[in-house]
Amino acid sequence: MGKNEEVAEPGEFSAKDYTDPPPAPLIDSKELTQWSFYRALIAEFIATLLFLYITVATVIGYKSSVDPLTHTGPDVACGGVGILGIAWAFGGMIFILVYCTAGISGGHINPAVTFGLFLARKVSLIRAVMYMVAQCLGAICGVGLVKGFQKSYYVRYGGGANELSHGYSKGVGLGAEIIGTFVLVYTVFSATDPKRSARDSHVPVLAPLPIGFAVFMVHLATIPITGTGINPARSFGAAVIYNKDKAWDDQWIFWVGPFIGAAIAAAYHQYILRAGAMKALGSFRSNPHV
């Protein structure tokens, strides 16, 4: 069998009609000399800044509109955009920003997504670390803009900070963040899979759309539990600007959970769905020198 062919499985083609990009090197110092690398960092910074500005402003605006101390009457209970509107703000902004930046930086806008792609050898360690730094700085600046524009409202209504809701244990919060991030990162891998793009080319899929919908759906499920992090930069930026003990006490949940969820999603997609484990085992068995 030729090197460009695969063993056909039920429902699959026999010939390999797609090309996987080569694994990214662990350390790629050449990136530091390329303008495209710094352009990508700027894109991640600005995208995360805009993401946090729009979404946190939406959260603050909603809480302000339903505050019985400042708004009275029968319409208070159904005022504002509600949880549905907040979820749409997060999902919609991810759709917009991934669409705008995918061709420049890959449109990560989330350290958990970057971590998952790093584990799958889609980005180098240097790029992964620098992306996370840019994302966190962008998040801090984005939330800082919200506080600058709405300082009195910002402090009064919690600053959009992620905190574990009353009545839930830390274990439940951690589990919710793991599952939510798994859904997001699994969607990222599936939507950007070159094999899927080749085999389903007759069904055009705009990758940012399912990614944005994943963020939307996860927010609907997780807002009542943790406010929905699934993005360590989003949680960190809000905690830095809000700077209250509760936000910092729960901060570890919004780093550990998303990173575990991203790692599981990367392993599931690469080694189960893409059969990376079986291919590696087959290569091992067919090597006469082993």
Side-chain angles (χ1 to χ4, degrees):
M1 184 176 292
K3 63 180 181 180
N4 292 326
E5 295 183 350
E6 292 183 328
V7 176
E9 296 181 6
E12 292 193 349
F13 298 100
S14 60
K16 185 174 181 179
D17 53 358
Y18 64 95
T19 301
D20 281 316
L26 180 62
I27 304 294
D28 187 4
S29 58
K30 291 182 180 179
E31 288 184 314
L32 298 175
T33 65
Q34 299 171 346
W35 162 243
S36 60
F37 175 69
Y38 296 99
R39 181 180 62 184
L41 292 180
I42 295 171
E44 287 292 312
F45 171 83
I46 295 298
T48 314
L49 183 156
L50 295 174
F51 176 60
L52 266 293
Y53 172 72
I54 296 296
T55 54
V56 171
T58 301
V59 171
I60 300 300
Y62 164 66
K63 290 186 175 182
S64 171
S65 67
V66 297
D67 186 352
L69 297 178
T70 57
H71 294 77
T72 59
D75 295 332
V76 174
C78 58
V81 297
I83 290 180
L84 184 65
I86 292 173
W88 269 121
F90 279 89
M93 280 303 293
I94 287 297
F95 168 70
I96 292 169
L97 294 170
V98 171
Y99 179 83
C100 291
T101 61
I104 301 171
S105 65
H108 297 193
I109 322 172
N110 184 336
V113 171
T114 300
F115 181 66
L117 293 173
F118 165 70
L119 293 180
R121 299 290 302 278
K122 304 295 185 183
V123 296
S124 69
L125 177 61
I126 291 176
R127 184 175 290 265
V129 171
M130 294 303 294
Y131 270 24
M132 292 180 192
V133 171
Q135 291 156 0
C136 288
L137 291 176
I140 292 170
C141 292
V143 181
L145 284 178
V146 178
K147 183 176 182 179
F149 293 161
Q150 307 182 49
K151 187 169 184 178
S152 60
Y153 286 143
Y154 178 85
V155 175
R156 183 186 307 170
Y157 299 117
N162 285 128
E163 297 176 353
L164 186 65
S165 299
H166 295 293
Y168 293 98
S169 68
K170 292 187 183 297
V172 170
L174 181 64
E177 288 295 311
I178 291 173
I179 294 172
T181 311
F182 174 87
V183 172
L184 170 58
V185 178
Y186 172 39
T187 304
V188 170
F189 274 105
S190 298
T192 59
D193 190 340
K195 181 176 182 180
R196 181 190 184 99
S197 299
R199 301 280 169 83
D200 297 339
S201 59
H202 60 288
V203 183
V205 176
L206 186 63
L209 185 60
I211 296 172
F213 262 106
V215 172
F216 167 67
M217 296 303 296
V218 170
H219 273 75
L220 288 181
T222 317
I223 283 176
I225 303 173
T226 62
T228 308
I230 69 171
N231 183 335
R234 174 261 186 273
S235 303
F236 181 71
V240 168
I241 300 300
Y242 187 53
N243 198 28
K244 301 295 183 180
D245 290 342
K246 174 64 173 171
W248 285 119
D249 289 343
D250 295 340
Q251 185 65 198
W252 68 271
I253 295 174
F254 303 103
W255 284 86
V256 175
F259 275 32
I260 292 176
I264 296 172
Y268 175 62
H269 185 269
Q270 294 296 102
Y271 294 104
I272 304 299
L273 300 187
R274 291 298 304 273
M278 293 303 296
K279 291 176 183 177
L281 180 60
S283 177
F284 176 81
R285 288 176 173 174
S286 63
N287 189 340
H289 300 292
V290 176

